[in-house]
């Protein structure tokens, strides 16, 4: 008798558990009711609110979509997804501005429409924020209307979607990392306000948009985020904002079609790898207020023939011009006191170099494989020439600012500096002017 009672209790418990599981799969943001949406506590990444809770659902009688909402502060809600009991969103979608009970929709939650089959979306002017991954991987999505009420666009919000053009309104203050990353169909971008763009080396806001050709940036923008246009391989030219102060790391890295860019006078910072692998860039003038050229800034710019550097420059980073194989002219300002390892390695057409009088050390590989180098001025302050710093296969002329060969002999010279073995030497204070002859 006790066994039967125990079995009956166990059976009831099992049935209750199954029913509870069925109820929990009722809402499925982005997944269209697969049970992996924002209301599923087993998948916190798809949660539309910090609690992962859905407070209400409401069916759109026109489309059959049953929208899912989470209550926010006051009389507002966040659209967190849609219920699997209704139709999955597809085609043209108008995000509701309010529920039937009068709750205003002020946010679109995390992954709310992730991987849905929508083709266009209109966002109402009640919405202030678009959440992380809200429209990510919506491959059929061709257009979005972002109203002037939106203040933030979350990380990966439109990642890998099918968008063809984007207009970011004046109201937007923050755009998250990879917000439009890898949108392969994206051809046109306009930023109308002073938004701040988050990013990383190759996960910038528009990184990987390989067909992006037209970019219009507001003059109010002061910073371009890390990786912002990295690997935008069809971008040929861009007008930078007149108030721009900073270009982030890898901002234009691997923009292999970029041939024309003018850096504004307001610029003070150019990040690492900022223009690395811009294979069609032919010349560059670094603005007067830039004092440090970061590592690999113009690395592998294979068509860069001329670089003009500002007088205030104090440091040239590692590999800054490495593998610029057609670079024939670069001025080294007198304020430069440090030139990084391999800074000009592989600049095969560089003919004349006048090192700044402040420089006391030539780092390893600085002018390695500069096979076209004919003349170089080395200041009297020089104390160390690193390994392979002047490794070339031709005889060159050394113009040394020191008094004589005895002064030259006091320089510590590393291995592999084959050019020095075949060089002809000129000494004295006038050596720097002689190289210009």
């Amino acid at each position: 008798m006790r066994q039967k009672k125990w079995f009956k209790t166990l059976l009831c418990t099992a049935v209750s558990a199954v029913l509870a599981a069925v109820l929990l799969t009722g809402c499925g943001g982005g997944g269209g009711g697969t049970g992996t949406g924002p209301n599923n506590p087993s998948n916190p990444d798809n949660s539309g609110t910090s609690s992962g809770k859905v407070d209400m659902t409401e069916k759109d009688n026109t489309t059959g979509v049953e929208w899912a909402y989470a209550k926010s502060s006051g009389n507002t809600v966040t659209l967190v997804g849609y219920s699997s009991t209704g139709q999955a969103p597809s085609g043209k979608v108008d995000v509701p501005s309010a529920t039937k009970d009068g709750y205003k929709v002020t946010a679109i939650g995390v992954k709310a429409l992730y991987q849905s089959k929508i083709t266009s979306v209109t966002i109402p002017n009640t919405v202030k924020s678009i959440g992380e991954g809200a429209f990510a991987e919506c491959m059929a999505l061709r257009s979005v209307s972002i109203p002037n009420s939106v203040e933030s666009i979350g990380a990966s919000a439109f990642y890998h979607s099918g968008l063809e053009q984007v207009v970011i309104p004046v109201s937007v203050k923050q755009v998250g990392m990879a917000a439009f990353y890898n949108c392969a169909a994206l051809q046109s971008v306009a930023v109308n306000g002073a938004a701040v763009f988050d990013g990383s080396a190759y996960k910038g806001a528009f990184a990987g948009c390989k067909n992006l050709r037209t970019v219009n940036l507001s003059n109010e923008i002061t910073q371009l985020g890390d990786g912002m246009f990295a690997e935008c391989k069809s971008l040929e030219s861009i007008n930078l904002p007149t108030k721009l102060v900073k270009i982030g790391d890898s901002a234009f890295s691997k923009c292999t079609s970029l041939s024309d860019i003018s850096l504004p006078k307001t610029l003070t910072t150019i990040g690492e790898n900022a223009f690395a692998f811009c294979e069609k860039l032919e010349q560059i003038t670094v603005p007067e207020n830039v004092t440090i050229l970061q590592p690999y800034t113009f690395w592998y710019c294979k068509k860069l023939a001329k670089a003009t550097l500002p007088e205030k420059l104090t440091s040239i980073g590692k590999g800054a011009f490495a593998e610029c194989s057609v670079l024939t002219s670069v001025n080294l300002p007198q304020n430069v006191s440090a030139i990084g390892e391999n800074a000009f390695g592989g600049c095969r057409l560089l003919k004349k170099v006048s090192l700044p009088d402040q420089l006391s050390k030539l780092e390893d590989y600085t002018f390695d494989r500069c096979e076209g180098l004919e003349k170089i001025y080395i200041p009297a302050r020089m104390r160390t020439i690193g390994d392979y710093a002047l490794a070339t296969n031709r005889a060159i002329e050394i113009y040394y600012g020191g008094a004589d060969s005895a002064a030259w002999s006091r320089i510590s010279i590393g291995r592999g500096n084959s050019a020095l073995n075949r060089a002809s030497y000129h000494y004295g204070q006038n050596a720097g002017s002689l190289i210009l002859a």
Side-chain angles (χ1 to χ4, degrees), residues 157-169:
F158 295 91
Y159 156 78
H160 200 40
S161 68
L163 287 176
E164 295 175 347
Q165 62 178 11
V166 170
V167 177
I168 298 176

Side-chain angles (χ1 to χ4, degrees), residues 162-180:
L163 287 176
E164 295 175 347
Q165 62 178 11
V166 170
V167 177
I168 298 176
V170 174
S171 58
V172 174
K173 297 178 175 63
Q174 193 84 21
V175 178
M177 183 168 67
F180 299 91

Side-chain angles (χ1 to χ4, degrees), residues 215-355:
V215 176
N216 292 307
L217 300 175
S218 163
N219 282 327
E220 299 304 311
I221 292 173
T222 59
Q223 297 187 25
L224 300 184
D226 292 351
M228 188 164 170
F229 296 102
E231 297 188 282
C232 291
K233 296 181 182 294
S234 297
L235 189 64
E236 295 180 1
S237 65
I238 184 172
N239 291 323
L240 296 179
T242 56
K243 295 181 181 178
L244 192 67
V245 173
K246 179 182 178 180
I247 295 175
D249 295 350
S250 302
F252 293 95
S253 180
K254 297 187 179 179
C255 290
T256 52
S257 296
L258 186 66
S259 60
D260 182 25
I261 190 165
S262 179
L263 304 181
K265 293 180 180 180
T266 52
L267 197 66
T268 61
T269 303
I270 304 174
E272 290 189 23
N273 291 285
F275 295 95
F277 292 92
C278 289
E279 296 176 353
K280 292 189 177 180
L281 191 64
E282 295 181 359
Q283 60 180 4
I284 196 74
T285 297
V286 178
E288 60 184 1
N289 292 316
V290 174
T291 58
I292 297 174
L293 209 57
Q294 299 290 347
Y296 304 106
T297 308
F298 299 101
W299 185 35
Y300 265 102
C301 291
K302 296 195 294 185
K303 288 192 175 181
L304 187 67
K306 183 179 180 181
T308 304
L309 305 181
E311 289 304 315
K312 293 180 182 178
L313 195 70
T314 61
S315 175
I316 298 173
K318 178 180 179 179
F321 292 95
E323 311 306 330
C324 294
S325 55
V326 301
L327 185 67
T328 58
S329 174
V330 62
N331 64 304
L332 298 178
Q334 283 299 318
N335 287 317
V336 171
S337 59
I339 300 177
E341 181 179 317
N342 197 38
F344 295 92
C347 294
R348 297 180 181 276
L349 297 185
L350 198 59
K351 292 183 177 182
K352 293 181 182 181
V353 173
S354 182
L355 296 177

